[in-house]
Structures are given as structure tokens and as C-alpha cells.
Amino acid sequence: GPFTGHRSGGHLTHAQLRWNNSFKVGLWDDGFHNAARFHRVAALIGTPEGDVPLAPMADWERIDAARGTWPHQAARVPQMVSWTVPAGSSQTLQLTGPSTVLEVTCTVGAPSDWLGMWARFSWDNEATPSVDVPLRVLGGMMAPPYSHPVTGLMFKNDGSRRITCYFPMPFTSTARLSFVNQNGTPVNLRVEYAKLDGAYPQPWGYFTAQHRSGVTGSGEPFLGPRITNACGTLRGVMLEDVADTTGRIPNQQLTHLEGDLCLRINGNRGEDHSFDASETSIGR
């Protein structure tokens, strides 16, 4: 369904559960029948503080019913630009506001072009970009040579040459959408975008996306993106990992994640392993 599902080894829900004073998650287990099993309970908790409104469930159900298509209530009025972006150079889409970007769709000439293409977006003359990620990440595209189409609620890709991001990106006066080619060869890039002119309903924050990648060994912590001095809502997390396909590991055919993901919100883990923050641990 729209808010519940299952994966190998577990179940999940995105149902919005609200409370006033306290919240507790409990797991009952029969130790006799499940003596050979282990369990992990993961919870991602967001407490609304009036900073970003929560969409009503009916609206998310409407979006899920048409997953992968235009999710906004406003009419779609697309515009398109095409460039050949030289190697080591960039092209920029300069927009004026107040306005809200409701869609960014990008198409490249070949899947390998995604390897060096980056998105750097800044709003209202910011000194540093709010969005600084591989362009493919905005549509949930895996790094070549791996490919698989993804259809999410607010982004999608065809597993090859096309990505779409539907997240609203409001700004007051100016938006600078730069597409940077770090490949060694030119890239043919087509950008289709749709926006809605006028001030976005308050309260709102700038659309922000950060990226960090690295390789860790067993027992080594990996420090991912960190946002401080900010009040907002986490809208998406993308995890990416690839298996050893060099032949050193026999019968290795699948991409897999193995390890723990910890999201720490509004604090750090306590010394006695009590949590001062919301933390999830997703194993394997």
C-alpha cells in the first residue's frame, strides 16, 4: 500500500503517527519459537514544530495513486532548454522570483554521462549552493554501469538517460540552477522544467541536497552529510552501494548494502546508549 510495505527480512510503514506527550515502540517476541532469530526495530521520528507543514494523508494517497507522474495541484507549464556542455564547464539556468520550481527533468546522451554531471543550485544569491550533488541523484539514478528504473513519489528515472525531480523548490528573488560537466568529454543535456510564479505559502525553507561518498572497512564509521543550525524536515535519503564484480568474490551477482544506517536528529547518542536523538539502525 501507499504507507506500508515489506522487504527481505522486515516490514515498514510510513504512516504518520502523531502524539502529544510521549511515544513508545515495543516488539513482542516468542523466544522459544524464534530462538534462532534476531530482530531490530528501526524508527525514524519527526516532530512537527511549525517549521514545515505536514501534508495530509489524503494528499499523499492522491500522489501515490499516480506515482511517477506530475504530483502538484498547479497546472504543468513546461519549458525546455538544450545544451552541449563542454568538458570541465557548466551551463546555468537563471530564474527570477518569487517563484517555485515544481519539476526538473534532465536527459543526457548516454548513461555514462551521469558519472561526471553535477547539480549546483543556489537560491536568492546564496554564497554557497544549497544543492551540490551528482545530477543523477535528484532522480534516484544509480551510478553507471548499474541501472534500474525507479518510480518514487517525488522523483523517478528510466534506468538509462532520463531523470525527473518533483520536489518543490521555492525562492524569493533569484534561482541559479547550474549543471556542471566534470566528464572528460562534452555532454548533450536537455533540461525540462516547470515552475509556478508567485510567493510560496509560509513557512518554507530552501530545498537543500547534500552528497558524500566513501569506502569503509569492517567496524569503521562512515560520516555522512551533516546539517547544523537548521530547522526543517528530512524529505529523502538515498543509499548507494555496489558489490564486488571483479570476480574476486565468487557467485557475486547482486548489489547489496551491509552495515548500519544511523540518522541522528537534534542531538547525539548518549554515553549509556540511551538516545538523546532519533536514531535508526538498518542492518544489511
Side-chain angles (χ1 to χ4, degrees):
F3 299 98
T4 59
H6 60 85
R7 298 292 183 269
S8 176
H11 303 269
L12 61 94
T13 177
H14 293 290
Q16 299 179 17
L17 309 175
R18 300 195 185 201
W19 67 92
N20 291 323
N21 299 312
S22 64
F23 176 79
K24 180 183 289 187
V25 175
L27 173 69
W28 179 86
D29 189 19
D30 183 336
F32 178 78
H33 290 95
N34 285 332
R37 307 182 69 181
F38 71 93
H39 297 273
R40 288 182 178 179
V41 178
L44 176 62
I45 301 173
T47 55
E49 297 174 344
D51 52 313
V52 176
L54 279 175
M57 183 174 291
D59 207 27
W60 282 113
E61 288 175 336
R62 174 187 63 81
I63 293 172
D64 182 68
R67 181 184 292 255
T69 63
W70 177 258
H72 305 293
Q73 296 282 16
R76 182 176 184 266
V77 184
Q79 302 180 62
M80 188 178 68
V81 293
S82 295
W83 301 299
T84 297
V85 188
S89 185
S90 65
Q91 292 285 357
T92 298
L93 191 61
Q94 191 81 35
L95 306 176
T96 58
S99 187
T100 303
V101 178
L102 297 179
E103 176 188 334
V104 176
T105 295
C106 298
T107 306
V108 295
S112 60
D113 292 337
W114 295 119
L115 289 172
M117 290 299 300
W118 277 67
R120 291 194 177 127
F121 300 169
S122 58
W123 321 108
D124 297 327
N125 299 312
E126 289 178 303
T128 57
S130 285
V131 176
D132 192 1
V133 296
L135 179 57
R136 61 183 175 80
V137 170
L138 292 182
M141 177 80 76
M142 289 188 291
Y146 304 95
S147 65
H148 185 77
V150 173
T151 302
L153 295 182
M154 300 299 285
F155 61 84
K156 66 177 181 179
N157 71 72
D158 65 355
S160 180
R161 298 171 46 240
R162 184 181 176 90
I163 65 165
T164 295
C165 178
Y166 289 121
F167 283 105
M169 306 179 190
F171 58 96
T172 301
S173 58
T174 61
R176 182 179 176 87
L177 279 57
S178 293
F179 302 88
V180 184
N181 181 14
Q182 299 178 355
N183 291 295
T185 56
V187 170
N188 293 322
L189 175 67
R190 184 174 73 238
V191 178
E192 189 174 350
Y193 66 97
K195 62 186 181 72
L196 178 65
D197 293 329
Y200 195 80
Q202 294 286 344
W204 57 269
Y206 291 125
F207 178 81
T208 299
Q210 296 185 7
H211 173 264
R212 182 168 178 177
S213 64
V215 177
T216 60
S218 178
E220 300 174 0
F222 171 67
L223 302 178
R226 184 171 186 171
I227 300 175
T228 58
N229 276 335
C231 188
T233 300
L234 181 66
R235 297 296 194 189
V237 176
M238 181 174 174
L239 302 178
E240 195 171 42
D241 190 21
V242 293
D244 188 327
T245 57
T246 62
R248 292 176 297 180
I249 302 178
N251 301 322
Q252 185 67 71
Q253 299 175 340
L254 299 178
T255 293
H256 74 290
L257 281 169
E258 185 168 346
D260 291 338
L261 164 70
C262 291
L263 303 179
R264 294 180 181 172
I265 301 171
N266 298 333
N268 299 303
R269 175 185 280 186
E271 293 180 358
D272 60 351
H273 294 280
S274 63
F275 297 151
D276 297 328
S278 304
E279 180 168 319
T280 82
S281 182
I282 301 176
R284 299 191 178 183

